[in-house]
Amino acid sequence: MVSALGMTATLGGCGGSGSSDVTLRLVAADYGDSRDDSSKKYWDGLVEEYEAKHPGVKVEVSVYSWNDVDSKVKAMVDAGDAPDLAQIGAYADYAAAGKLYPASELLSIRTQADLLSQLSDAGQWKHVQYGIPFAASTRVLFYNKTLFAKAGITPPTTWDDLAADAKALKDKGVKFPYALPLGPEEAQAETMQWMLSGASTGTGYTDDVGTYTIDSTQNVDTFTWLKDDLVGKGLTGPVAPGKLNRADAFAAFADGQVGMLNGHPTLIQQAAKKGVKFGMVPMPGREGTARASMGVADWMMAFKQGGHADQVGDFLDFVYSQKNVLDFSREYGLLPVTGSASNTMTASDAKADETLHPFLEQLPTSELYPVGKTSWASVSAAVKKDIGQAVAPGGSPSGVLTRLQATATAADSSAAN
């Protein structure tokens, strides 16, 4: 998701335990890229409207950059001063520690029913929902229309098409025919998208019941194909995939140096600002369009420490109203997490909404990281560190994936004990 410098607000103490004079504290991530569009601006407006209708409740919001927000919340929790609400990247550790309210104790039945089911399911720890999806995105294949026209090619629908297109782009001197960012910034995303595109079953890193299957035959075959048919043939550009970060790949696309890459909604504005003419299609699969796209969600959670379940629940019902979900999604180019808002955006012919339609189309069949596993953070870190070696000259896809599987199995076992 978008990361930017955040702004901090002074946190106030909790109020009384009755229905009046209650202060709720919310720590939130910043989706803006400047002071002018900081998420603080969004929350300030929303809180002002809420407080006007609920004079006995105050909501104090502290907004931090994505670089800092998770650690800020962890520091507060470790100090015994958990916020009432946190809107951050992961919830499972706090759920496993018994620190969170289940969503069912907070949200109205109407709000719960409106949340998109695949996102709600991903918010479960041990079959109970603690993570409430707040924002979502999916991945599609971006391609440079100008470069494709010069090469006389059309967008790919299979891996063979993608390799052929990449060769045609290389022959025309394109610097990065297909940009493959397996560098440490966000390698876990590119990895999962390719796992999904090569899979007939499973959810990328895990099988359908949540067991890690990183070294499955289909995943080994996928990375063998990447190593031999893309990287080994010089179709991924001059930077080794293990050294190429997602932000650098996006910047190169916006500079007109990339023929194709996997991208999320923020690339739309980045490329448009530079005047790049681009198209978007579903990620190709081995024999046709990939069975599933990768989805990403950020999470809202409520800590039990403050004890204001009724007020927290009422505020969250307001946050997740159709209008507020749409306002946030449109402000930051993200996908709505509720059915009502998603349907409204899908039916809209407003230009800003239409640019998100390809991503919305992917959402119902998208697969998310295994965020309900407390082991995922350490597994993700290992993937970021090592996956680039799988496609490096002399690298062994089977060997790298086997080592990552061992790391995941050990982390899973440790988390269960």
Side-chain angles (χ1 to χ4, degrees):
M1 313 300 290
V2 180
S3 162
L5 291 176
M7 299 168 64
T8 61
T10 302
L11 297 177
C14 293
S17 60
S19 60
S20 62
D21 301 321
V22 169
T23 297
L24 302 179
R25 298 183 301 157
L26 165 64
V27 177
D30 198 345
Y31 291 82
D33 56 15
S34 70
R35 182 181 294 267
D36 290 340
D37 72 347
S38 167
S39 295
K40 186 176 187 304
K41 193 174 177 182
Y42 169 81
W43 285 111
D44 284 350
L46 185 145
V47 166
E48 182 179 2
E49 184 180 352
Y50 181 79
E51 289 180 346
K53 298 175 181 176
H54 302 80
V57 179
K58 288 183 63 67
V59 183
E60 295 185 350
V61 182
S62 178
V63 176
Y64 297 100
S65 79
W66 273 107
N67 294 329
D68 301 324
V69 69
D70 290 295
S71 62
K72 292 288 186 182
V73 172
K74 184 178 186 302
M76 294 172 70
V77 174
D78 289 348
D81 188 33
D84 296 283
L85 290 156
Q87 185 270 298
I88 52 179
Y91 65 86
D93 284 350
Y94 298 123
K99 295 182 180 297
L100 302 181
Y101 282 111
S104 60
E105 294 184 18
L106 301 168
L107 303 177
S108 68
I109 293 174
R110 174 179 291 182
T111 300
Q112 285 188 76
D114 199 22
L115 293 170
L116 295 174
S117 60
Q118 74 271 34
L119 301 180
S120 292
D121 290 347
Q124 294 182 4
W125 181 78
K126 291 194 172 179
H127 308 294
V128 176
Q129 185 184 356
Y130 295 93
I132 306 168
F134 181 75
S137 70
T138 56
R139 300 293 197 270
V140 299
L141 186 76
F142 283 70
Y143 67 97
N144 184 309
K145 286 186 173 181
T146 303
L147 298 179
F148 265 58
K150 288 180 179 177
I153 54 178
T154 56
T157 58
T158 68
W159 286 2
D160 286 346
D161 292 343
L162 189 147
D165 284 351
K167 184 180 186 305
L169 291 163
K170 181 186 179 184
D171 290 345
K172 290 294 183 180
V174 175
K175 186 174 181 180
F176 295 92
Y178 177 86
L180 183 66
L182 295 177
E185 178 199 356
E186 205 185 32
Q188 82 283 4
E190 186 75 10
T191 297
M192 182 165 173
Q193 183 60 73
W194 277 100
M195 285 178 170
L196 289 171
S197 75
S200 57
T201 60
T203 61
Y205 289 104
T206 64
D207 61 19
D208 293 329
V209 296
T211 302
Y212 284 113
T213 53
I214 295 173
D215 63 346
S216 68
T217 299
Q218 57 191 12
N219 286 342
V220 171
D221 288 348
T222 292
F223 275 85
T224 300
W225 185 88
L226 283 172
K227 178 179 182 292
D228 295 344
D229 289 60
L230 279 189
V231 181
K233 294 181 178 178
L235 302 179
T236 54
V239 181
K243 301 289 186 183
L244 182 64
N245 281 327
R246 189 267 314 161
D248 296 328
F250 278 21
F253 186 86
D255 287 337
Q257 299 177 332
V258 175
M260 299 172 278
L261 85 172
N262 281 315
H264 51 65
T266 58
L267 184 55
I268 294 173
Q269 193 172 29
Q270 190 174 348
K273 283 180 180 177
K274 293 288 192 78
V276 172
K277 295 180 180 178
F278 61 89
M280 298 177 288
V281 294
M283 177 67 181
R286 192 182 298 273
E287 304 295 339
T289 300
R291 179 181 63 83
S293 171
M294 190 191 77
V296 177
D298 296 325
W299 304 96
M300 181 74 77
M301 63 211 70
F303 288 88
K304 293 193 286 189
Q305 184 177 345
H308 300 306
D310 290 345
Q311 292 87 354
V312 167
D314 187 71
F315 177 65
L316 287 176
D317 283 339
F318 179 73
V319 169
Y320 284 90
S321 68
Q322 179 179 316
K323 174 186 179 299
N324 288 330
V325 171
L326 277 172
D327 285 350
F328 181 85
S329 300
R330 286 166 170 162
E331 177 68 25
Y332 297 106
L334 294 164
L335 304 184
V337 296
T338 63
S340 59
S342 185
N343 291 339
T344 298
M345 184 176 281
T346 299
S348 171
D349 57 5
K351 185 175 181 180
D353 289 345
E354 283 188 331
T355 61
L356 292 174
H357 286 178
F359 301 92
L360 280 167
E361 290 166 5
Q362 299 292 307
L363 192 57
T365 58
S366 65
E367 300 283 1
L368 279 73
Y369 298 130
V371 289
K373 299 171 76 69
T374 56
S375 57
W376 169 240
S378 60
V379 173
S380 175
V383 171
K384 291 179 183 181
K385 179 175 177 288
D386 294 336
I387 195 63
Q389 299 171 22
V391 298
S396 167
S398 176
V400 171
L401 294 178
T402 298
R403 290 197 302 273
L404 288 171
Q405 176 68 29
T407 297
T409 301
D412 223 17
S413 177
S414 176
N417 294 329

